[in-house]
Amino acid sequence: MGALVSAFWLLKSEPDVYGLDELERAGEGVWEGVRNYQARNFMRAMRTGDLFLFYHSNAKPSGVAGVGRIVREAYPDPFQFDPKSKYYDPASLASDPRWSAVNVGFVERFPRVISLEELKAHPGLVGMAVVQKGTRLSVTPVSAEHFERVVAMGRFGG
DNA sequence: GCCAACGTTGGC
DNA sequence: GCCAACGTTGGC
């Protein structure tokens, strides 16, 4: 049941805000603050045990730093109801929360970050959302093939 | 810090 | 429902 990996994802975060280092230290964390409907819908489709590529955006270099796992499926993001939070959404109703969060766990850190440049240059990753021009979505599905390929690059350099 | 890309909002 | 204005993302 929950042990089966059903899907793969890529999640973007700015490491200055929330990075793989922090997830590794804590072991588990909350993926919150997503305020885009498409990304939210993907989050709601996540299942416990799904694996994801942890992508560092606005970093030097930007790229995939490692792997995480979904440990709790989507639930209402508490920050949408907190007027003091930058993620506060006054239009979201408690009876029908607009935004979701998931909990994530640490799986592995690659020996090196696979930069966006490398991802773009790899012929086996054509079509992956993160390498497509103009794709800013912070949550995207990844095919099993692409996921395995990036993990292989991260572990073995290529 | 700049700016292209693109999502959202709101006037009409 | 159109679309201009505005805001955000994120590479560079």
Side-chain angles (χ1 to χ4, degrees):
Chain A
M1 307 236 308
L4 284 177
V5 170
S6 53
F8 302 97
W9 310 92
L10 181 143
L11 302 186
K12 290 182 188 174
S13 181
E14 300 190 25
D16 290 347
V17 179
Y18 184 71
L20 187 61
D21 285 355
E22 196 174 335
L23 177 58
E24 183 173 17
R25 267 199 304 276
E28 187 174 330
V30 179
W31 206 278
E32 41 80 13
V34 170
R35 295 291 180 269
N36 171 284
Y37 289 106
Q38 221 182 328
R40 180 207 67 183
N41 292 342
F42 286 137
M43 287 175 80
R44 289 181 177 179
M46 291 173 177
R47 294 295 169 254
T48 300
D50 285 0
L51 296 174
F52 66 90
L53 300 170
F54 199 127
Y55 181 92
H56 284 170
S57 59
N58 272 321
K60 291 175 183 177
S62 292
V64 177
V67 176
R69 183 195 308 277
I70 306 304
V71 300
R72 182 182 173 190
E73 294 175 12
Y75 59 96
D77 181 342
F79 291 98
Q80 68 194 305
F81 302 122
D82 178 0
K84 293 186 292 293
S85 170
K86 67 178 280 202
Y87 298 123
Y88 178 57
D89 182 353
S92 183
L93 305 172
S95 57
D96 183 20
R98 181 177 286 182
W99 306 114
S100 298
V102 295
N103 287 8
V104 296
F106 177 80
V107 174
E108 76 173 281
R109 160 190 302 287
F110 295 152
R112 64 196 187 89
V113 170
I114 312 307
S115 70
L116 180 60
E117 187 182 12
E118 263 184 275
L119 297 173
K120 284 179 173 171
H122 199 299
L125 298 178
V126 170
M128 197 177 171
V130 74
V131 304
Q132 274 163 7
K133 191 179 178 184
T135 300
R136 298 171 311 164
L137 259 194
S138 62
V139 180
T140 53
V142 174
S143 72
E145 186 186 5
H146 287 167
F147 182 87
E148 294 302 337
R149 199 158 278 153
V150 174
V151 169
M153 291 165 79
R155 288 177 183 162
F156 310 118

